[in-house]
Amino acid sequence: MDLSSITSAISSAYGSVQEFLFANIVGPLLYQFDLMSWAEDVFDGIDWFLFGCIQIFLIIVVLRTWERIAPAEKQERFAKASRADVVYTLFHRLGIFHGLIFIALSGFFFEIDSVLHDFRFDRFNVESWWPGVTSIPVVSFLVYLVLLDFVEYLYHRASHAFNWWWQLHALHHSQTVMTAWSDNRNHILDDSMRAVVMALFALLFGVSPGQFIILIALSQFIQSWQHANIKVHLGKAQYLLISPMFHRMHHAVGYGHEAIGKPGVLGGCNFGILFPWWDMLFKTAIFPKEVYPTGVRYLEVSQNILTQQWQGLTRSVKELMPK
């Protein structure tokens, strides 16, 4: 069986599962609550759930196994500190978060799209940049991946530059037991702002909804790998893709969120999401050879999710209050 046949079979099986879920579970629920006007959007939204299921499976089977084989640091089989991270991951990866964001902001993005159309705004339209090359779906997909990664680098660096914003983002850095579950350990307000920014730029770039879902799902899984407790050196490939060691340096106490040599001052290194090129370009890259402990100096964070969210919000509001 050749590659195209395998791809076709996987695509057919995926489509069958999506149709089964909609016809037997989701569709009847929409009908029961008189929400059939949402049917098309919800059908597409099942993609978030299915891609999330695939990611969760790969985290458990591949990444967690890899962590036991080549750990960066010795950890308990399943540390108590990671329980909240698992809940965050399920909430984000199984489509709950993105579904809520879509419902809350669908009208807003429809209006933005109408305004862009009225002003005859010409989107990036990557497919037309180099006819015959960028029009190839795989090529345009990679270009969009790089463009959105640059936006994420700027967003991430900004979250370290303002004290009120950092108080939200600090929750992500507070984990002292890094695992493949740690990527989605974020404040809901910070995640919501990030989702709006990424969706807006995807709209401006002209990314199709189908491509956007795959772009986000691929990026999420790579980030799960980057947060995993894995000691791996990529050699020359470390300049092409951010590794767990590179990203762990971003979480390192005294390096990842502080200006080196100035404790308590916002700054840091290794802000990149997928590719290290932006850190290399803006001189924020450090390629470590050793494993450093992670966490935020002087920050105490509850293990309760609701308390974590409240702590981050109150710290952020306090920073915004007049001194």
Side-chain angles (χ1 to χ4, degrees):
M1 182 178 290
D2 58 22
L3 181 60
S4 61
S5 298
I6 295 174
T7 303
S8 178
I10 294 174
S11 177
S12 177
Y14 179 90
S16 297
V17 172
Q18 185 178 27
E19 291 175 5
F20 175 84
L21 289 175
F22 184 82
N24 295 278
I25 300 176
V26 181
L29 286 174
L30 292 177
Y31 180 80
Q32 182 70 30
F33 292 98
D34 194 25
L35 296 173
M36 289 304 292
S37 59
W38 288 85
E40 184 176 347
D41 292 323
V42 172
F43 182 82
D44 293 337
I46 295 175
D47 279 325
W48 289 110
F49 175 75
L50 292 178
F51 277 115
C53 288
I54 294 171
Q55 289 184 67
I56 297 300
F57 174 80
L58 292 176
I59 288 173
I60 294 172
V61 175
V62 178
L63 298 185
R64 293 294 286 167
T65 301
W66 195 347
E67 287 180 325
R68 289 192 289 272
I69 295 173
E73 63 178 357
K74 187 176 181 180
Q75 296 177 352
E76 298 176 32
R77 183 65 178 268
F78 188 74
K80 292 181 180 180
S82 297
R83 292 175 182 174
D85 294 0
V86 175
V87 177
Y88 281 122
T89 301
L90 295 175
F91 177 73
H92 281 78
R93 302 298 172 89
L94 296 182
I96 301 171
F97 173 76
H98 289 284
L100 293 174
I101 288 292
F102 176 80
I103 292 172
L105 300 174
S106 58
F108 169 72
F109 282 110
F110 179 79
E111 291 297 327
I112 292 293
D113 198 29
S114 298
V115 171
L116 293 175
H117 184 269
D118 291 342
F119 280 91
R120 300 182 183 277
F121 177 80
D122 188 15
R123 300 180 187 181
F124 273 45
N125 193 15
V126 168
E127 287 79 2
S128 65
W129 285 3
W130 188 354
V133 177
T134 56
S135 57
I136 300 173
V138 173
V139 175
S140 63
F141 178 86
L142 292 175
V143 173
Y144 285 131
L145 191 66
V146 172
L147 289 174
L148 290 175
D149 188 63
F150 180 56
V151 173
E152 287 215 84
Y153 170 85
L154 295 176
Y155 180 93
H156 189 190
R157 191 165 179 183
S159 69
H160 284 249
F162 302 93
N163 278 294
W164 69 267
W165 199 343
W166 163 249
Q167 298 306 324
L168 299 175
H169 186 58
L171 172 60
H172 180 69
H173 280 257
S174 66
Q175 181 58 277
T176 59
V177 185
M178 294 276 288
T179 72
W181 298 108
S182 299
D183 176 46
N184 291 120
R185 179 189 178 92
N186 299 310
H187 197 281
I188 189 69
L189 183 56
D190 189 18
D191 266 337
S192 298
M193 292 190 299
R194 179 183 176 187
V196 171
V197 169
M198 296 309 297
L200 180 59
F201 274 94
L203 179 67
L204 295 175
F205 292 157
V207 182
S208 69
Q211 278 184 316
F212 185 63
I213 292 174
I214 299 174
L215 283 165
I216 295 298
L218 177 61
S219 176
Q220 285 178 330
F221 182 69
I222 293 175
Q223 289 177 70
S224 291
W225 172 67
Q226 292 167 347
H227 286 81
N229 181 39
I230 297 173
K231 186 174 184 179
V232 55
H233 296 285
L234 299 183
K236 296 297 183 181
Q238 69 179 332
Y239 303 115
L240 300 177
L241 182 67
I242 289 174
S243 70
M245 290 287 286
F246 183 92
H247 190 70
R248 186 184 181 89
M249 192 69 187
H250 176 69
H251 283 259
V253 178
Y255 288 90
H257 67 280
E258 298 175 356
I260 297 176
K262 298 179 180 180
V265 178
L266 292 181
C269 62
N270 298 11
F271 299 100
I273 306 301
L274 299 181
F275 310 116
W277 314 327
W278 319 120
D279 282 300
M280 294 163 67
L281 178 63
F282 295 107
K283 302 186 185 303
T284 55
I286 296 178
F287 292 91
K289 295 182 180 179
E290 302 298 327
V291 174
Y292 293 88
T294 62
V296 179
R297 200 193 311 262
Y298 311 127
L299 181 64
E300 294 184 9
V301 177
S302 169
Q303 296 302 321
N304 181 278
I305 290 176
L306 294 179
T307 305
Q308 289 175 354
Q309 296 296 309
W310 177 249
Q311 287 175 333
L313 181 61
T314 53
R315 288 196 306 267
S316 180
V317 170
K318 185 177 179 180
E319 287 294 333
L320 289 170
M321 298 295 287
K323 302 298 184 182

